[in-house]
Amino acid sequence: MSNVLFPFSDEHKMIRDTARDFAREQIAPVAAEFDESGEFPHQTIKKMGEMGFMGIEVPEAYGGAGMDTLAYVLALEEVSKVDASHGVVMSVNNSLYCSGILKFGSEDQKMKFLPPVASGKSIGAYSLTEPMSGSDAGTMKSRAVLDGDGYILNGRKSWVTSGPVADYVVVFMMTQPGQKQKGITAFLVEKDTPGFSSGKKEHKLGIRASATSELLFEDCRIPAANRLGAEGDGFKIAMTVLDNGRIGIAAQALGIAGAAYEAALAYAREREAFGQKIGQFQGIGFKLADMKTRIEASRLLTYNAALAKERAKTGNERFTTEAAMAKLFASETAMFVAHAAVQVHGGMGYSKELPVERYFRDAKITEIYEGTSEIQRLVISRNELGLK
Ligand code: CAA
């Protein structure tokens, strides 16, 4: 844990310590097993719900824990430090599913769609990407057509975290083709709706215990009341929700980096070569110094983004740049630190006997999902240049 002086309340310390203890006691013993099998860890995810980790910022009236963004970030870092797969399920549930409904949902939608997911009894997902529409999210082809008192959805979505296990999904579809981003609308879909199914499951390099798949919509009829926001508002909703999500991924990356750093530090203190502890060699010591420094900088950027988001809750201020900077720097730090940790461990870093190789595999995705590093640089530079 960092020595950064930060204005943590007793509540912040409590959730951080609770998440740390939970992760060490309940997740650590099963993390390697689920990584190896690629199975979804239903039991521990359910327990995380019981602990209140699946809807941390959702008010208690809607089934959540009623805490702030800093509390969310602290808990997510601790979970991800032990296992990034559990971390991403928690992140998507909290920031990609709940945050959008909380901000854009009607009272009826909040009452119906938040409690099961925020309480952790059900799992939520967010579905934007399509096979031919990734970073260029505005080019999606999936189509929703108004038909009486409902919408008929058709299309194929891809790379949906928790896709195969989700009970509820926020999905983005084109309602006015030809209008590009302004033709996109957001919808809430329940798992058992006829015409809705999960497709191909992805076999991934890392975060293997999280379930990622396609989602298929074949003449899937949903009530018009399941439209989130107005027709044409979908792209802005998707982007606003991703601003939230990117803070979650920054916290996840911080957790992975912290785990890799602590493993490398411990190994550098113990392992001897050429008659001394390897940490005494400058080649290792300087690596540790860079790892520590980048983690501390990531932490400050992530906390700063969390505080910016907290301020935005009472107004319409955006925290897009803060979230993008935190996600960009923390994810590249996770990759840098995990890469260095494998190197410090030498052969042992490459072995499945230790979790270091898992940290390395898990770190990579943080530079890709919820906007690649290139997209974060685009977002930051456009905002700085006043182009958007
Ligand atoms: N908040 C609110 N509004 C926003 C916004 C934000 N963060 N970003 C853009 N907008 C608004 C703009 O103001 C603009 O509105 P006006 O037309 O009224 O001016 C409108 O949205 C269109 O914006 P752009 O012209 O900037 O849109 P663009 O097509 O150029 O795209 C982009 C910008 C940054 C490249 C965006 O498409 C993007 O972020 N792409 C990456 C998508 C992404 O992160 N995908 C990951 C999906 S989730 C996932 O990874 C799976 C998972 O399950 C975890």
Side-chain angles (χ1 to χ4, degrees), residues 96 126 128-129 134-135 137 159-161 181-182 235-236 239-240 242-243 246 318 320 369-371 375 378-379 382 388:
L96 289 191
Y126 168 99
L128 178 73
T129 304
S135 291
W159 293 107
V160 185
T161 302
Q181 297 93 332
K182 288 190 168 49
F235 191 77
K236 285 192 183 180
M239 292 300 119
T240 307
L242 277 172
D243 287 344
R246 288 167 184 168
R318 271 171 55 177
T320 305
Y369 57 18
E370 302 201 27
I375 289 294
L378 184 90
V379 167
R382 275 184 179 183
K388 287 288 159 186

Side-chain angles (χ1 to χ4, degrees), residues 56-130:
I56 292 180
E57 294 176 72
V58 175
E60 290 174 35
Y62 303 122
M67 299 173 93
D68 66 9
T69 312
L70 206 46
Y72 167 54
V73 158
L74 290 169
L76 183 52
E77 179 189 347
E78 294 298 334
V79 168
S80 304
K81 195 167 181 181
V82 169
D83 184 38
S85 291
H86 283 77
V88 72
V89 179
M90 176 175 165
S91 176
V92 168
N93 220 72
N94 277 272
S95 35
L96 289 191
Y97 179 85
C98 290
S99 80
I101 299 174
L102 207 50
K103 187 159 179 75
F104 299 102
S106 65
E107 189 55 29
D108 284 351
Q109 288 173 336
K110 288 180 194 172
M111 289 308 289
K112 177 171 179 190
F113 291 101
L114 281 175
V117 177
S119 64
K121 293 189 180 79
S122 301
I123 294 176
Y126 168 99
S127 179
L128 178 73
T129 304
E130 297 181 2

